Amino acid sequence: MNQTTSEDIMPEKTSLWIFGYGSLVWKPDFKFRMSKVGYIQGYKRRFWHGDNFHRGDKDMPGRVVTLVEDDDACTWGVAYEVKGTEIEESLKYLNTREAVLGGYITKVVEFIPRDGGHLPHLALVYIATCDNPIYLGPASPEEIAAQITTCRGKTGHNIEYLLRLVQFMRLYCPEVEDEHLFSIEAATLSLMPYMLGSKQAIHAIATA
């Protein structure tokens, strides 16, 4: 896995922006100075990557998101600004969380803030590609939902991951229709009532 340092990304910079589009939107777990909701262009978010640590295990890998190149698409998320010593600290943490445990690589993309008063700027993003051994690839919403409802890892249930991402999109990007994400949510909810009793119980997972 590639171990990213500040010199690899933006030498001589005292500020670094990190873009999150999955669990980073609700759980960055590193120090940052400020955050902005916004999007990047040329990528679509897909539940095509496997997770055998955070949301699954080696026998039953969970489904988590990665980015797939698509010139006509955009992906919404959150960019975090880190400065000074926070840069190396955050990269060390994310290299373990995303690269070592998740198999993601890094790229630099243009981030466009939702607030029109802020100009676009470069940001670091973690992406899992099909070269990764735990990359699962495309599947129908129903197949992905069936996997999500049965998997749990050291961080929690795979359902929580899905619902927290849905919660972020509905709360901070209500005008965005993320068909892939919402179709998986619908398929998951249709599978769960007989296991948890009600849809309200399912959503309680995301807010616990």
Side-chain angles (χ1 to χ4, degrees):
M1 307 301 174
N2 63 332
Q3 296 295 296
T4 304
T5 66
S6 57
E7 288 77 13
D8 296 329
I9 308 162
M10 300 174 189
E12 301 179 3
K13 292 290 185 181
T14 59
S15 175
L16 172 67
W17 286 87
I18 298 168
F19 177 70
Y21 57 92
S23 60
L24 288 181
V25 302
W26 73 83
K27 189 177 179 169
D29 276 354
F30 56 84
K31 294 180 180 178
F32 58 91
R33 301 298 177 92
M34 66 180 300
S35 64
K36 300 177 185 176
V37 173
Y39 62 93
I40 62 173
Q41 294 178 315
Y43 291 94
K44 57 188 178 184
R45 176 171 44 214
R46 290 292 182 267
F47 272 83
W48 289 1
H49 191 46
D51 185 338
N52 58 16
F53 183 84
H54 296 290
R55 301 294 178 173
D57 56 37
K58 292 182 180 179
D59 295 325
M60 298 179 64
R63 283 264 182 177
V64 293
V65 293
T66 184
L67 295 178
V68 179
E69 292 187 17
D70 183 338
D71 291 341
D72 298 324
C74 71
T75 296
W76 286 80
V78 181
Y80 302 93
E81 184 186 29
V82 291
K83 290 187 174 184
T85 59
E86 294 173 357
I87 296 177
E88 293 301 337
E89 291 172 1
S90 62
L91 290 178
K92 181 179 179 180
Y93 168 73
L94 289 171
N95 278 331
T96 298
R97 172 174 165 174
E98 305 294 336
V100 175
L101 297 177
Y104 290 75
I105 63 172
T106 54
K107 290 188 177 183
V108 175
V109 295
E110 183 181 61
F111 171 75
I112 303 169
R114 179 174 186 166
D115 184 348
H118 293 92
L119 295 175
H121 52 75
L122 296 179
L124 177 73
V125 66
Y126 288 81
I127 299 174
T129 70
C130 58
D131 296 328
N132 194 291
I134 56 174
Y135 189 83
L136 298 176
S140 69
E142 292 74 21
E143 291 171 318
I144 294 174
Q147 193 167 354
I148 286 174
T149 58
T150 57
C151 292
R152 175 185 293 273
K154 295 186 182 299
T155 304
H157 203 290
N158 207 172
I159 297 172
E160 179 195 14
Y161 178 97
L162 167 66
L163 294 182
R164 285 193 183 276
L165 187 52
V166 168
Q167 184 181 52
F168 163 79
M169 288 298 296
R170 292 225 165 94
L171 184 61
Y172 293 98
C173 315
E175 76 283 6
V176 178
E177 182 59 36
D178 191 325
E179 182 178 352
H180 176 77
L181 175 63
F182 296 154
S183 65
I184 294 171
E185 177 204 21
T188 300
L189 293 177
S190 71
L191 291 175
M192 293 306 297
Y194 75 94
M195 296 177 66
L196 293 181
S198 69
K199 293 183 179 181
Q200 288 76 16
I202 302 168
H203 282 290
I205 295 174
T207 56

